[in-house]
Amino acid sequence: KNRLQYAPTVVLKCEPNGDMSRDMLEFMEWQAKTGVAYVTVGDTPVTHDTTSAWLCEMNVNSDDCIHGMNQLVEVARRNGAELSVELAHAGRGSRVAPTDPPALCPSAELPLEPGMEHLKTMDKADLEYMKGRYVDCAVRCKKAGFKIIMLHCAHGNLIAQFLSPLSNCRKDEYGGSPENRRRWPLEVLKAVREAVGPDMVIEIRVSATEDTPGGYELAESLDFMEAAQEYVDIVHVSRGVVFTLAGTNTIPTYFKKGPLNVEFAAEAKKRLHIPVCVVGMITSLEMAEEIIASGKADLVAMAKSFMADGELIHKSLAGRTEDIRPCTRCDLCGNANTYGTSMHCAINPRMGLTPDPELLPLEQRKKVMIIGGGPGGMMAAQTAVKRGHTVTLYEKADRLGGLLNDATVLPFKQYMRNYLAWDIRQTMKCGAEIKLNTPVDETVVAQENPDAVIV
């Protein structure tokens, strides 16, 4: 268990101003119950009023927030996990209105895209101010009961922007050579360590490579990790830049073959004397076990696979791997990053729900007739049976799956094929009566006389 982390994700379940909410507390309860050692709350800005990328991210910028932060820590701890938080700043990726103060970044002459030019190159006062923001938020997390924090040094966020020639063209001591580009990030890490003391775990998330023309490659990243280990306890190896097409390596889609970053982590292990965590397209406990057993990493972080099936760890340990709902890597969960909506999963309608609706008391057992054995019909059958109803599923074709049978034909749809096979397998053994090759019309419904019909 102590080698597993629920990787940081953008959840967006706090109040619009970042205060704690019942939704966020319930989602954390669900996350902690997955069986990981610690959960990391994703993308938590260190200047919430000016650089929060989306509404409803957790606010850690005021002592008024400590009570809600502590509630979240306690919910996680009661349900078996410690809590970490990914402290971040979007830098030139901040979306600020022209009437707001400009976004602080290493080099204002390098905007990400048209419409995002409202930037200011950080001067010495800005560098000290922003370093102070990381320190202030880290100390507040410790006061709120966090035992772990993560500093986001990856994916093209502010600290990574200093590291990268893609976003840093400064002419002072913080730009130019790799040593100079590392200078301010290391100053931040040193200041945070001095502020929180030796008894708080500091993890840093680093892109092993930016996968973007003009960005840094593995050799520079390893040099930074080696220098950073003087101040931190864990290096978390990721890759890519979320603001470019390389973001498909940061938040991998089904076009990617996993795991993505294990060989990078193995190189880091050769250079570092502190634990290395790896993330990226790790989809099973078996895969995680192989990574750990081979000595290529010390910890494994996963997120999407837990969203698809919050019982992944428990089912694996019980030898029920065939019952684990496989993630399709569709990235509906990542749409929260794009549209600012609360997180959902395309294949797990109960993700994050506490208590699970399937466990609520059944008021009346019903005879349920489900017409159609596509993904909706199959999920309805599984759910209704678990709720305690008597279910018959009718499908006019000779197999279940509906349009998923067409949608999975293309060669790169293997993740969807895995899900289809799981869905059919779970439906066939769920306890519903399955009638294939059976069209349904009003006469059939009248003959069966069900209490409820789901079409």
Side-chain angles (χ1 to χ4, degrees):
K1 172 171 181 168
N2 282 355
R3 297 189 182 260
L4 294 171
Q5 174 189 177
Y6 196 122
T9 56
V10 178
V11 175
L12 306 183
K13 289 183 180 289
C14 290
E15 299 296 340
N17 64 355
D19 287 348
M20 196 50 57
S21 69
R22 175 53 52 189
D23 279 351
M24 186 66 183
L25 292 169
E26 290 183 352
F27 191 76
M28 178 54 61
E29 178 182 345
W30 180 85
Q31 286 183 294
K33 286 179 178 178
T34 57
V36 296
Y38 64 113
V39 178
T40 304
V41 180
D43 197 79
T44 303
V46 295
T47 56
H48 195 275
D49 54 341
T50 58
T51 62
S52 182
W54 306 281
L55 289 173
C56 304
E57 291 179 303
M58 184 170 70
N59 188 353
V60 298
N61 282 260
S62 166
D63 286 351
D64 293 343
C65 301
I66 289 178
H67 177 69
M69 294 163 62
N70 179 252
Q71 283 184 302
L72 202 65
V73 170
E74 293 299 328
V75 164
R77 198 165 285 153
R78 282 199 304 270
N79 288 282
E82 287 298 329
L83 189 60
S84 180
V85 57
E86 182 184 50
L87 298 178
H89 187 288
R92 67 178 185 149
S94 305
R95 296 193 177 275
V96 295
T99 54
D100 291 336
L104 299 177
C105 66
S107 302
E109 58 268 48
L110 298 173
L112 272 167
E113 59 186 55
M116 298 183 70
E117 297 93 352
H118 192 41
L119 305 172
K120 179 192 177 187
T121 297
M122 294 168 69
D123 58 25
K124 294 293 179 63
D126 296 323
L127 293 171
E128 285 301 309
Y129 164 74
M130 196 55 66
K131 179 168 64 177
R133 295 308 309 143
Y134 282 96
V135 168
D136 181 63
C137 292
V139 170
R140 186 168 294 108
C141 288
K142 186 173 184 179
K143 289 178 179 177
F146 288 76
K147 294 182 178 179
I148 312 167
I149 53 170
M150 174 187 281
L151 298 185
H152 201 346
C153 307
H155 305 162
N157 285 281
L158 180 64
I159 293 178
Q161 288 168 24
F162 273 88
L163 295 171
S164 175
L166 184 69
S167 46
N168 183 348
C169 64
R170 299 174 70 99
K171 304 302 182 184
D172 62 4
E173 67 269 36
Y174 295 104
S177 68
E179 292 79 11
N180 281 355
R181 285 185 270 114
R182 289 195 288 272
R183 190 183 306 276
W184 187 74
L186 291 174
E187 288 179 3
V188 172
L189 299 182
K190 181 175 185 290
V192 171
R193 170 54 75 199
E194 290 174 349
V196 300
D199 59 339
M200 188 174 205
V201 175
I202 301 177
E203 181 174 10
I204 57 169
R205 199 175 209 191
V206 183
S207 289
T209 171
E210 291 196 299
D211 296 314
T212 306
Y216 63 76
E217 299 295 338
L218 179 61
E220 273 197 35
S221 184
L222 290 172
D223 288 342
F224 170 66
M225 296 179 203
E226 190 168 29
Q229 69 179 340
E230 180 180 349
Y231 311 113
V232 306
D233 303 287
I234 302 169
V235 169
H236 177 115
V237 178
S238 183
R239 70 189 296 176
V241 176
V242 292
F243 305 112
T244 71
L245 287 175
T248 60
N249 286 329
T250 304
I251 307 172
T253 68
Y254 51 76
F255 293 101
K256 305 293 181 180
K257 302 297 182 185
L260 283 181
N261 303 313
V262 172
E263 296 309 316
F264 296 143
E267 291 302 312
K269 282 278 292 175
K270 296 175 185 177
R271 297 271 296 270
L272 306 181
H273 58 71
I274 61 174
V276 173
C277 180
V278 67
V279 72
M281 294 290 274
I282 300 167
T283 58
S284 68
L285 216 58
E286 291 80 4
M287 191 180 293
E289 174 68 22
E290 170 58 28
I291 293 166
I292 299 298
S294 64
K296 293 180 177 179
D298 302 290
L299 302 101
V300 168
M302 302 162 62
K304 285 185 176 180
S305 293
F306 291 145
M307 295 181 218
D309 196 330
E311 293 292 310
L312 182 150
I313 294 173
H314 308 304
K315 290 177 180 178
S316 297
L317 295 177
R320 296 172 49 216
T321 54
E322 75 283 353
D323 291 333
I324 297 171
R325 181 191 282 107
C327 174
T328 62
R329 323 309 289 189
C330 73
D331 203 32
L332 177 67
C333 52
N335 279 346
N337 300 11
T338 304
Y339 303 114
T341 54
S342 185
M343 180 174 282
H344 296 285
C345 177
I347 58 172
N348 182 7
R350 290 177 293 279
M351 183 192 74
L353 296 184
T354 305
D356 189 326
E358 289 178 355
L359 304 179
L360 297 176
L362 182 65
E363 295 181 359
Q364 179 185 354
R365 188 181 304 277
K366 295 182 179 181
K367 178 182 179 181
V368 180
M369 184 178 190
I370 297 175
I371 303 170
M378 289 191 288
M379 185 58 65
Q382 295 170 40
T383 304
V385 170
K386 286 180 180 177
R387 293 283 291 120
H389 299 296
T390 301
V391 178
T392 305
L393 173 62
Y394 296 78
E395 169 55 51
K396 66 181 179 182
D398 61 357
R399 59 178 176 173
L400 297 173
L403 290 175
L404 280 181
N405 290 302
D406 299 329
T408 56
V409 170
L410 292 169
F412 56 81
K413 291 282 190 168
Q414 184 58 51
Y415 289 108
M416 186 69 81
R417 282 192 288 277
N418 294 344
Y419 172 72
L420 174 59
W422 172 88
D423 211 357
I424 292 174
R425 188 166 61 246
Q426 296 302 305
T427 304
M428 294 300 294
K429 69 178 187 178
C430 75
E433 182 180 1
I434 310 297
K435 293 190 176 184
L436 302 176
N437 300 301
T438 308
V440 175
D441 57 19
E442 292 180 5
T443 302
V444 177
V445 175
Q447 289 173 346
E448 293 298 323
N449 191 28
D451 299 306
V453 178
I454 300 175
V455 182

